[in-house]
Amino acid sequence: MTAAAASAPAHGDTRHPGARRGLITVSIMLATIMQALDTTIANVALPHMQGSVSATQDQISWVLTSYIVAAAIMTPPTGFLADRLGRRRLFLIAIAGFTVASMLCGIAQTLTELVGYRLLQGVFGASLVPLSQSVLLDTYPREQHGSAMAMWGVGVMVGPILGPTLGGWLTEYYSWRWVFYINLPFGVLAFLGVAAFVGESVRRARRFDLFGFAMLSLAIGALQLMLDRGEQQDWFSSAEIVIEAVVAGLALYLFIVHMLTAEHPFLDPKLFVDRNLVTGLLFIFMVGIVLLATMALLPPFLQNLMGYPVLTTGYVLAPRGIGTMISMFLVGRIMSKVDPRALIMTGLLLVAFSLWEMSGFSTEVTTSAIVRTGIVQGLGLGLIFVPLSTLTFATLPPHLRTDATGLFSLMRNLGSSIGISVVVFYLARQAQVHHSTLAESITPTNPLLRTPDWPAAWSIDSHAGLTALNAEVTRQAQAMGYLDDFRLMMFVVLAALLLLPLLRRPAPRRPA
């Protein structure tokens, strides 16, 4: 099937291709935003859910884990299902299933129901992002791919950033159930738009590689469980985490061997011959680390160490999404005139600069400094994501795009999961190190503790004073741990600069 055929308007109407493209874009954007919001919108509502369904802290975490694992496992089969069912039909099934599952999550009365319905959300929502990207790439000609990816990227990048803000507001003024009900209007409008304006793709007969899918699913599922539960189980001191790590590694090895030797593998090995695609997958993995890891660190930093209320935290973080939105719209207009690699480099440097500034924060940092660094980081992420999405698929044959977009989404999600696990672990470790270092200087022989300027509340001569002093030392040690995390992510971003020379800019097409 050619790109032109794939992007042909439904019902044979070619009178207003520009208007139809706009309507397709709006419909797809609604589905993308709906799925992207759900990656983070439920996080802030977990304490309210926990009380409502009478769950423990460990049990309620499965509300997040079940969604993440199901979505990760069901992302790779998107290409196969689109070929067998047709891309438009699969899109409609995914939107309808995700919307219904959202409604069921909202009315759930027990923990079992809530986790089960979140599992369904992940199953149906997994294909929404790769399908939306694939449809847009085929709907627009290659010279307009930058603009198309800019519009699509707004939902993918801004959704997770604004999710905690919207989730906190809905939970505060309505109920935790509204973090799921909010999907209903998005889902209905997206379903009607896709049904009316997106054309059906040509179906291809394709064998289903059950063994390949089973091994890849096992590897992804075991890895996600290991990452999500590692901190709670004290990582490799737990037999559960060791077993999950061994299963993930063995299953991945078997999947790779099978893919390279089977006659009809689950993923076409030709995907990994394309240099731009492989480089783009590595790139989006590293971008995923920074995108959600930063959002996982900032809310507890602001709430636990600086005393910000939940709503205020959401408002302070919102400008980050605004910065991303602005840069994406700008990139969509200038990318045809500028080397996309230069835009990616500029974005990486902006993100690295913002993280360097954040590594100098203290517990007395001003709100304006938090907002400013957030805007700069948002601008940088927007400059990275759009040209990266365009270059990744620029040299790939159209019939491989749906499989490739599924891998692209999978690598972004894996990067986010691994990034969050790493920064949470590193935060706990560094906080212990800094606490030990600071505590070493608190001795009766230290003259600073005997000066008139030393607060009486921190007197080392009383039990209450020592308790108060230890609480402050713990607070400062945690703050220093957060700064170490920001510095670590800055080095990850700078390391991504080494991948830039591997991206090739496709030669411009000659006019017909």
PDB file of all heavy atoms in Angstrom, residues 10 60 62 95 154 185 201 215 372 381 395 402-404 407 495:
ATOM      1  N   ALA A  10     -11.750   9.363   3.315  1.00  0.00           N
ATOM      2  CA  ALA A  10     -12.851   8.416   3.369  1.00  0.00           C
ATOM      3  C   ALA A  10     -13.941   8.827   2.407  1.00  0.00           C
ATOM      4  O   ALA A  10     -14.138  10.001   2.110  1.00  0.00           O
ATOM      5  CB  ALA A  10     -13.389   8.344   4.797  1.00  0.00           C
ATOM      6  N   ILE A  60      -2.680   0.000  46.282  1.00  0.00           N
ATOM      7  CA  ILE A  60      -3.189   1.059  45.408  1.00  0.00           C
ATOM      8  C   ILE A  60      -2.208   1.361  44.279  1.00  0.00           C
ATOM      9  O   ILE A  60      -2.600   1.873  43.219  1.00  0.00           O
ATOM     10  CB  ILE A  60      -3.502   2.344  46.226  1.00  0.00           C
ATOM     11  CG1 ILE A  60      -4.496   3.241  45.452  1.00  0.00           C
ATOM     12  CG2 ILE A  60      -2.236   3.111  46.557  1.00  0.00           C
ATOM     13  CD1 ILE A  60      -5.856   2.629  45.253  1.00  0.00           C
ATOM     14  N   TRP A  62      -1.018  -0.659  42.335  1.00  0.00           N
ATOM     15  CA  TRP A  62      -1.374  -1.483  41.178  1.00  0.00           C
ATOM     16  C   TRP A  62      -2.328  -0.758  40.236  1.00  0.00           C
ATOM     17  O   TRP A  62      -2.470  -1.164  39.080  1.00  0.00           O
ATOM     18  CB  TRP A  62      -1.989  -2.804  41.644  1.00  0.00           C
ATOM     19  CG  TRP A  62      -0.950  -3.771  42.109  1.00  0.00           C
ATOM     20  CD1 TRP A  62      -0.578  -4.016  43.400  1.00  0.00           C
ATOM     21  CD2 TRP A  62      -0.118  -4.588  41.294  1.00  0.00           C
ATOM     22  NE1 TRP A  62       0.426  -4.945  43.432  1.00  0.00           N
ATOM     23  CE2 TRP A  62       0.738  -5.321  42.153  1.00  0.00           C
ATOM     24  CE3 TRP A  62      -0.004  -4.779  39.914  1.00  0.00           C
ATOM     25  CZ2 TRP A  62       1.681  -6.210  41.676  1.00  0.00           C
ATOM     26  CZ3 TRP A  62       0.940  -5.672  39.440  1.00  0.00           C
ATOM     27  CH2 TRP A  62       1.767  -6.375  40.312  1.00  0.00           C
ATOM     28  N   ILE A  95     -10.396   3.489  20.559  1.00  0.00           N
ATOM     29  CA  ILE A  95     -11.019   4.669  21.172  1.00  0.00           C
ATOM     30  C   ILE A  95     -12.246   4.273  21.979  1.00  0.00           C
ATOM     31  O   ILE A  95     -12.428   4.703  23.129  1.00  0.00           O
ATOM     32  CB  ILE A  95     -11.405   5.708  20.088  1.00  0.00           C
ATOM     33  CG1 ILE A  95     -10.149   6.283  19.420  1.00  0.00           C
ATOM     34  CG2 ILE A  95     -12.238   6.840  20.690  1.00  0.00           C
ATOM     35  CD1 ILE A  95     -10.449   7.151  18.213  1.00  0.00           C
ATOM     36  N   VAL A 154       2.093  17.955  20.577  1.00  0.00           N
ATOM     37  CA  VAL A 154       1.482  18.738  21.654  1.00  0.00           C
ATOM     38  C   VAL A 154       0.736  17.821  22.617  1.00  0.00           C
ATOM     39  O   VAL A 154       0.853  17.941  23.840  1.00  0.00           O
ATOM     40  CB  VAL A 154       0.538  19.817  21.071  1.00  0.00           C
ATOM     41  CG1 VAL A 154      -0.315  20.429  22.169  1.00  0.00           C
ATOM     42  CG2 VAL A 154       1.340  20.901  20.371  1.00  0.00           C
ATOM     43  N   PRO A 185     -15.944  12.925  27.104  1.00  0.00           N
ATOM     44  CA  PRO A 185     -16.158  13.827  25.965  1.00  0.00           C
ATOM     45  C   PRO A 185     -15.046  13.730  24.915  1.00  0.00           C
ATOM     46  O   PRO A 185     -15.328  13.777  23.707  1.00  0.00           O
ATOM     47  CB  PRO A 185     -16.194  15.216  26.612  1.00  0.00           C
ATOM     48  CG  PRO A 185     -15.548  15.059  27.949  1.00  0.00           C
ATOM     49  CD  PRO A 185     -15.852  13.662  28.378  1.00  0.00           C
ATOM     50  N   SER A 201      -7.312   1.802   5.664  1.00  0.00           N
ATOM     51  CA  SER A 201      -6.108   1.326   4.986  1.00  0.00           C
ATOM     52  C   SER A 201      -6.386  -0.022   4.342  1.00  0.00           C
ATOM     53  O   SER A 201      -7.362  -0.704   4.666  1.00  0.00           O
ATOM     54  CB  SER A 201      -4.953   1.205   5.993  1.00  0.00           C
ATOM     55  OG  SER A 201      -5.276   0.244   6.988  1.00  0.00           O
ATOM     56  N   MET A 215       7.329 -13.890  23.893  1.00  0.00           N
ATOM     57  CA  MET A 215       8.638 -13.574  24.482  1.00  0.00           C
ATOM     58  C   MET A 215       8.799 -12.067  24.702  1.00  0.00           C
ATOM     59  O   MET A 215       9.294 -11.628  25.740  1.00  0.00           O
ATOM     60  CB  MET A 215       9.760 -14.096  23.588  1.00  0.00           C
ATOM     61  CG  MET A 215       9.892 -15.612  23.564  1.00  0.00           C
ATOM     62  SD  MET A 215      10.212 -16.332  25.214  1.00  0.00           S
ATOM     63  CE  MET A 215       8.570 -16.905  25.652  1.00  0.00           C
ATOM     64  N   ARG A 372      10.573  29.715  35.679  1.00  0.00           N
ATOM     65  CA  ARG A 372      11.489  30.050  34.583  1.00  0.00           C
ATOM     66  C   ARG A 372      12.211  28.813  34.054  1.00  0.00           C
ATOM     67  O   ARG A 372      12.271  28.580  32.839  1.00  0.00           O
ATOM     68  CB  ARG A 372      12.513  31.079  35.056  1.00  0.00           C
ATOM     69  CG  ARG A 372      13.426  31.584  33.928  1.00  0.00           C
ATOM     70  CD  ARG A 372      14.526  32.495  34.418  1.00  0.00           C
ATOM     71  NE  ARG A 372      15.525  31.768  35.213  1.00  0.00           N
ATOM     72  CZ  ARG A 372      15.675  31.883  36.504  1.00  0.00           C
ATOM     73  NH1 ARG A 372      14.878  32.689  37.200  1.00  0.00           N
ATOM     74  NH2 ARG A 372      16.611  31.199  37.149  1.00  0.00           N
ATOM     75  N   LEU A 381      12.341  20.714  25.227  1.00  0.00           N
ATOM     76  CA  LEU A 381      11.715  19.435  24.887  1.00  0.00           C
ATOM     77  C   LEU A 381      10.914  19.539  23.597  1.00  0.00           C
ATOM     78  O   LEU A 381      10.902  18.618  22.775  1.00  0.00           O
ATOM     79  CB  LEU A 381      10.822  18.976  26.041  1.00  0.00           C
ATOM     80  CG  LEU A 381      11.539  18.472  27.296  1.00  0.00           C
ATOM     81  CD1 LEU A 381      10.558  18.274  28.442  1.00  0.00           C
ATOM     82  CD2 LEU A 381      12.290  17.179  27.016  1.00  0.00           C
ATOM     83  N   THR A 395      13.263   8.108   6.477  1.00  0.00           N
ATOM     84  CA  THR A 395      13.851   7.202   5.486  1.00  0.00           C
ATOM     85  C   THR A 395      13.237   5.810   5.534  1.00  0.00           C
ATOM     86  O   THR A 395      13.758   4.875   4.935  1.00  0.00           O
ATOM     87  CB  THR A 395      15.372   7.087   5.729  1.00  0.00           C
ATOM     88  OG1 THR A 395      15.611   6.681   7.083  1.00  0.00           O
ATOM     89  CG2 THR A 395      16.056   8.431   5.503  1.00  0.00           C
ATOM     90  N   THR A 402       3.680   1.763  10.794  1.00  0.00           N
ATOM     91  CA  THR A 402       2.847   1.465  11.966  1.00  0.00           C
ATOM     92  C   THR A 402       3.626   0.643  12.988  1.00  0.00           C
ATOM     93  O   THR A 402       3.555   0.897  14.191  1.00  0.00           O
ATOM     94  CB  THR A 402       1.571   0.724  11.541  1.00  0.00           C
ATOM     95  OG1 THR A 402       0.887   1.487  10.535  1.00  0.00           O
ATOM     96  CG2 THR A 402       0.635   0.555  12.730  1.00  0.00           C
ATOM     97  N   ASP A 403       4.391  -0.350  12.502  1.00  0.00           N
ATOM     98  CA  ASP A 403       5.256  -1.097  13.418  1.00  0.00           C
ATOM     99  C   ASP A 403       6.274  -0.173  14.074  1.00  0.00           C
ATOM    100  O   ASP A 403       6.550  -0.274  15.269  1.00  0.00           O
ATOM    101  CB  ASP A 403       5.987  -2.208  12.664  1.00  0.00           C
ATOM    102  CG  ASP A 403       5.121  -3.444  12.468  1.00  0.00           C
ATOM    103  OD1 ASP A 403       4.234  -3.670  13.304  1.00  0.00           O
ATOM    104  OD2 ASP A 403       5.333  -4.174  11.490  1.00  0.00           O
ATOM    105  N   ALA A 404       6.838   0.732  13.269  1.00  0.00           N
ATOM    106  CA  ALA A 404       7.880   1.624  13.781  1.00  0.00           C
ATOM    107  C   ALA A 404       7.328   2.617  14.801  1.00  0.00           C
ATOM    108  O   ALA A 404       7.977   2.895  15.818  1.00  0.00           O
ATOM    109  CB  ALA A 404       8.532   2.379  12.623  1.00  0.00           C
ATOM    110  N   LEU A 407       7.010   0.890  18.096  1.00  0.00           N
ATOM    111  CA  LEU A 407       8.304   0.795  18.780  1.00  0.00           C
ATOM    112  C   LEU A 407       8.719   2.139  19.367  1.00  0.00           C
ATOM    113  O   LEU A 407       9.291   2.207  20.458  1.00  0.00           O
ATOM    114  CB  LEU A 407       9.373   0.313  17.799  1.00  0.00           C
ATOM    115  CG  LEU A 407       9.444  -1.180  17.515  1.00  0.00           C
ATOM    116  CD1 LEU A 407      10.480  -1.459  16.429  1.00  0.00           C
ATOM    117  CD2 LEU A 407       9.790  -1.959  18.771  1.00  0.00           C
ATOM    118  N   ALA A 495      24.785  13.536  27.111  1.00  0.00           N
ATOM    119  CA  ALA A 495      25.215  12.314  26.434  1.00  0.00           C
ATOM    120  C   ALA A 495      24.427  12.078  25.149  1.00  0.00           C
ATOM    121  O   ALA A 495      24.946  11.511  24.174  1.00  0.00           O
ATOM    122  CB  ALA A 495      25.064  11.113  27.370  1.00  0.00           C
TER     123      ALA A 495
END
